[in-house]
Amino acid sequence: MQLIKLLVIAIAVTSMALAPSLLINKSADAASHSCEDTKGKSKDWIEGCKQGWYDHDHCYGADPDDGKSQQFYSGYFAGWKKGHCNK
């Protein structure tokens, strides 16, 4: 009986410890799907969107790759607005 109580307590503690990270974390899949689902955007815009979202989610500075197209930069800053730094 004590083993069952201990197991229940361990599961409850683990659940409470993991719940915030599961609720706050935005996966790379979310960025990919959201950017790719934007109608009428070029491949460069979509790639920029994914990079901007990724950079903001990982608390990097807004620094798109140099030498890219205007569409890439436009997508980058659109993706940046969707991301969220969790520091």
Side-chain angles (χ1 to χ4, degrees):
M1 191 66 165
Q2 282 187 331
L3 181 61
I4 293 173
K5 287 181 182 179
L6 186 59
L7 183 60
V8 169
I9 291 171
I11 291 172
V13 169
T14 303
S15 297
M16 288 188 301
L18 293 177
S21 65
L22 294 174
L23 294 174
I24 294 172
N25 190 17
K26 295 180 182 177
S27 70
D29 291 339
S32 293
H33 291 302
S34 180
C35 293
E36 290 170 357
D37 290 344
T38 305
K39 302 278 188 220
K41 298 298 182 180
S42 69
K43 183 179 177 186
D44 282 349
W45 189 95
I46 292 168
E47 290 304 313
C49 178
K50 289 192 278 188
Q51 183 181 341
W53 193 330
Y54 179 89
D55 286 355
H56 199 182
D57 277 354
H58 290 84
C59 303
Y60 300 146
D63 187 24
D65 294 339
D66 289 336
K68 299 290 186 173
S69 70
Q70 184 60 38
Q71 288 292 315
F72 181 90
Y73 295 127
S74 176
Y76 182 92
F77 290 108
W80 178 266
K81 291 177 186 175
K82 295 178 182 184
H84 181 71
C85 180
N86 292 320
K87 275 192 172 179

